[in-house]
């Protein structure tokens, strides 16, 4: 389905997930599922000032959904909220074929998921973890850019 090299990255994260677990006393906990595929992800996040100091996911589902959660958690650990929002937006633009090339380099291992854009049935699988983090950031991030876009 996906290019071979990229498939290795995805399988590696699927078989040896990073940041797996549930944080005690998280600042945010978001549970989402993707009924189309049966994927479930529970994301817990702790913030320290403006940065993601701890992040962990638990869940089950297809390799795309679980590998994405692992890749995303590793990528966002230590990032500021602003940077995390930027990377989430960048990932969405990649998956929706709105952006490609050098501007995607900041996505690191998440670039391995670019091939998903050619398989529309799997796009929701790849976005589930990012939907969790977006919600965590918007709930937590008063004064942040997402909040600013909402009408009062
Ligand atoms: Zn799935």
């Amino acid at each position: 389905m996906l290019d071979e090299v990229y498939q290795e990255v995805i399988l590696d994260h699927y078989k040896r997930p990073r940041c797996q677990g549930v944080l005690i006393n998280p600042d945010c906990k978001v549970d989402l599922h993707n009924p189309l595929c049966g994927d479930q992800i529970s994301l817990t996040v702790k913030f320290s000032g403006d940065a993601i100091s701890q992040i962990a996911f638990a869940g089950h589902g297809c390799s795309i959904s679980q590998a994405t959660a692992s890749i995303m958690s590793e990528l966002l650990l230590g990032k500021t909220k602003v940077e995390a929002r930027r990377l989430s937006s960048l990932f969405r633009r990649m998956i929706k074929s709105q952006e490609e090339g050098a501007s995607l380099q900041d996505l690191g291992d998440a670039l391995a998921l670019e091939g998903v854009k050619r398989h529309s049935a799997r796009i929701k699988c790849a976005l589930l973890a990012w939907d969790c983090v977006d919600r965590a950031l918007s709930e937590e991030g008063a004064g942040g850019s997402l909040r600013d876009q909402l009408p009062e």
Side-chain angles (χ1 to χ4, degrees):
M1 158 180 165
L2 300 168
D3 299 337
E4 219 168 276
V5 176
Y6 287 159
Q7 201 159 13
E8 266 178 42
V9 174
I10 292 166
L11 281 179
D12 182 53
H13 276 272
Y14 180 58
K15 289 177 179 167
R16 300 187 306 115
R18 278 60 136 188
C19 306
Q20 198 177 37
V22 178
L23 300 177
I24 309 291
N25 298 324
D27 293 311
C28 279
K29 181 174 189 292
V30 180
D31 298 290
L32 290 177
H33 77 292
N34 168 20
L36 294 178
C37 183
D39 308 316
Q40 289 203 327
I41 289 177
S42 174
L43 188 77
T44 45
V45 184
K46 281 190 183 186
F47 297 99
S48 173
D50 199 38
I52 295 174
S53 59
Q54 293 184 61
I55 183 167
F57 79 96
H60 59 84
C62 69
S63 57
I64 297 292
S65 68
Q66 303 304 303
T68 304
S70 170
I71 289 168
M72 181 199 78
S73 298
E74 191 175 57
L75 180 68
L76 296 185
L77 181 63
K79 297 286 193 296
T80 64
K81 293 171 191 171
V82 169
E83 180 69 358
R85 284 193 190 95
R86 189 182 73 83
L87 290 169
S88 177
S89 162
L90 193 59
F91 185 85
R92 284 168 197 283
R93 292 204 300 278
M94 176 180 82
I95 287 292
K96 292 173 181 170
S97 301
Q98 293 166 343
E99 189 146 352
E100 57 186 13
S103 60
L104 298 176
Q105 288 304 315
D106 290 350
L107 289 174
D109 275 1
L111 272 172
L113 293 152
E114 187 171 13
V116 172
K117 70 186 182 187
R118 292 187 290 275
H119 305 271
S120 58
R122 311 309 297 278
I123 286 177
K124 277 199 181 336
C125 304
L127 287 179
L128 188 61
W130 295 93
D131 287 343
C132 288
V133 87
D134 280 3
R135 193 167 299 191
L137 288 166
S138 64
E139 280 175 7
E140 220 285 327
S145 57
L146 286 176
R147 183 67 53 95
D148 291 343
Q149 289 165 11
L150 295 173
E152 289 298 321

